[in-house]
Amino acid sequence: MAKLWSPICDQLGIETPIFGFAHDIATVAAISNAGGYGVYGATRRFPEEITDELATIRGLVGDKPFGVDLVLPPGMPEHNSREAIELEIPEGHKAFVQKIIEQYEIPPASGPGMRTRFIRSSEIEANQIDAVLNSPVNMFACGIGAPAPVVQAAKQRGMTTLALIGSPHHVARAIEAGVEIIVAQGYDAGAHTGPIGTYSLVPQIVEAAGDIPVLVAGGVATGQHIAAALAMGAQGVWMGTAWLLSEEHQAHMHPVNRQKLLEAGSADTVITRSESGKTFRQIRTGWSQAWEAESAPAPLKMPYQDVLVGDLLGAIEEHDIEPLIHSGAGQSVAYFNEIQPVAEIMNQLTRDTLKVLNAQQNFIKA
Ligand SMILES: Cc1cc2nc3c(=O)[nH]c(=O)nc-3n(C[C@H](O)[C@H](O)[C@H](O)COP(=O)(O)O)c2cc1C
């Protein structure tokens, strides 16, 4: 039977060139076990958790390759410094957040939220990197920022290195750092994303990357998209939004979020800095709208915004504050309207891509 394949499959030991980013172990393992390349988003995990979780994924996938992704933005404080950061947050911002709390009558969270479990710092990043380097993982993916020493250290351990990039200008720096695969992530993508649309971005990145393989991210949801990615010179795709509605991920999904994602169309996502301080695409809700209001202050920079809103974001989910509950998601959310096992999503994608690739010949007239 014909298979969806590109040279990167043989290079990395996978069956089909579909890479899947997810924040939970079960989904990542299922993507690798279905013949793709699962990548675990570990940027909000403590180093000890990363060690345990990567070992667990290894147990679930056996010899199949899988990766881990850390977001390593430059310019973070040196130490975990919540108190110091709190002192620098303007009173007007605190008052604005307090107004949201009062308007929706949100009780305090029982503990810190996902964004305030720890505050980003170079110290914690170094420990996360160490945990990854000492784990049995095949790929080190850099979400934001690809520091050359980290890339080199990962390569020395035999890991494949990859960086997500949203602008052609960043290709040279990634190649200089030693990155072996580039993900060209366009504006459509879920969570942190840049201003250039996927179609405009990818051919420019493919050209700038030369021999380095490129994957397409941002708006990939169907076989048509995958065929288009290959037509633009990429060797595969990197998907995130697709797995939010996988059966495997549902243990981590608030039921209100599940419903909002199932119902959302492409116009129901919005880019806001109110989540983390950097541009972040999520489902439009009372949360993004509150920060879009004329009276709202401009969100702070990362990690100040994390400290300002992190506990509150946790409280919103903990206390089921329906109008404010939201998830990061890309414009491709429109295509995912049911809960399906990862293996079924993968099957459908590969089947449909082959169909589209075959049909391409209809456009050539002898
Ligand atoms: C909820 C969510 C969280 C994400 N978190 C990260 C992250 O921590 N690190 C990262 O490199 N990419 C992250 N991404 C982006 C994905 O890696 C991927 O590039 C993106 O989802 C691709 O576009 P798509 O959403 O249209 O599939 C996230 C995406 C989503 C939907």
Side-chain angles (χ1 to χ4, degrees):
M1 207 175 73
K3 280 203 321 198
L4 174 60
W5 176 92
S6 77
I8 206 174
C9 295
D10 291 356
Q11 188 186 327
L12 302 180
I14 53 174
E15 278 174 41
T16 204
I18 298 176
F19 294 68
F21 172 97
H23 279 298
D24 73 283
I25 290 170
T27 304
V28 171
I31 294 166
S32 286
N33 283 331
Y37 206 120
V39 181
Y40 182 53
T43 197
R44 289 289 169 184
R45 308 302 288 162
F46 281 106
E48 320 74 82
E49 294 171 330
I50 293 178
T51 302
D52 288 352
E53 288 157 357
L54 296 183
T56 305
I57 299 174
R58 172 54 66 213
L60 292 170
V61 301
D63 291 341
K64 295 200 172 74
F66 77 99
V68 60
D69 174 287
L70 291 180
V71 172
L72 303 168
M76 292 300 110
E78 207 175 317
H79 300 289
N80 190 345
S81 50
R82 180 167 182 157
E83 290 76 18
I85 289 176
E86 262 166 5
L87 287 175
E88 285 187 53
I89 292 179
E91 288 307 318
H93 282 74
K94 290 183 191 163
F96 178 74
V97 166
Q98 188 56 35
K99 234 174 53 195
I100 298 178
I101 293 173
E102 283 163 17
Q103 182 185 346
Y104 291 94
E105 300 176 357
I106 309 169
S110 56
M114 188 262 278
R115 294 185 181 281
T116 35
R117 299 176 80 220
F118 55 82
I119 309 305
R120 277 186 201 290
S121 66
S122 22
E123 187 180 19
I124 192 133
E125 279 177 10
N127 293 333
Q128 290 177 313
I129 291 163
D130 261 6
V132 169
L133 293 177
N134 292 306
S135 291
V137 59
N138 307 88
M139 173 193 286
F140 195 135
C142 300
I144 303 177
V150 178
V151 172
Q152 292 309 325
K155 284 168 89 166
Q156 274 164 17
R157 306 274 171 142
M159 295 177 192
T160 303
T161 54
L162 173 151
L164 274 73
I165 285 178
S167 159
H169 299 304
H170 297 156
V171 173
R173 205 187 310 150
I175 294 176
E176 251 170 55
V179 159
E180 297 155 295
I181 302 173
I182 288 174
V183 175
Q185 192 200 249
Y187 176 73
D188 315 28
H192 290 120
T193 192
I196 308 179
T198 304
Y199 256 57
S200 302
L201 179 71
V202 172
Q204 295 185 55
I205 292 208
V206 166
E207 178 161 356
D211 293 340
I212 308 247
V214 173
L215 307 174
V216 173
V220 178
T222 67
Q224 286 104 316
H225 295 127
I226 298 178
L230 300 174
M232 286 192 284
Q235 285 216 24
V237 294
W238 171 282
M239 301 168 71
T241 297
W243 322 108
L244 296 174
L245 290 168
S246 71
E247 211 166 276
E248 287 82 349
H249 185 64
Q250 295 316 301
H252 302 268
M253 177 68 71
H254 191 292
V256 171
N257 257 336
R258 181 181 310 129
Q259 204 48 39
K260 288 185 180 181
L261 287 164
L262 283 168
E263 287 168 12
S266 296
D268 296 319
T269 70
V270 64
I271 291 190
T272 174
R273 288 204 307 111
S274 62
E275 185 81 14
S276 69
K278 291 192 186 286
T279 49
F280 185 100
R281 186 182 292 284
Q282 62 184 208
I283 299 290
R284 178 188 290 106
T285 63
W287 176 259
S288 55
Q289 282 166 331
W291 287 89
E292 278 165 9
E294 241 172 64
S295 57
L300 302 171
K301 283 198 306 201
M302 180 186 278
Y304 294 83
Q305 188 73 8
D306 286 335
V307 174
L308 176 65
V309 303
D311 289 354
L312 176 56
L313 290 174
I316 287 169
E317 288 217 3
E318 182 179 344
H319 301 298
D320 306 320
I321 311 298
E322 199 272 337
L324 301 185
I325 291 180
H326 60 269
S327 165
Q331 295 184 332
S332 65
V333 71
Y335 294 86
F336 301 102
N337 302 315
E338 57 182 322
I339 308 292
Q340 283 184 303
V342 163
E344 183 47 38
I345 300 173
M346 290 283 288
N347 270 338
Q348 208 168 306
L349 287 170
T350 51
R351 229 180 16 236
D352 290 353
T353 309
L354 291 173
K355 225 188 277 172
V356 177
L357 290 173
N358 278 323
Q360 295 302 300
Q361 287 156 30
N362 297 336
F363 295 102
I364 304 172
K365 198 167 176 195

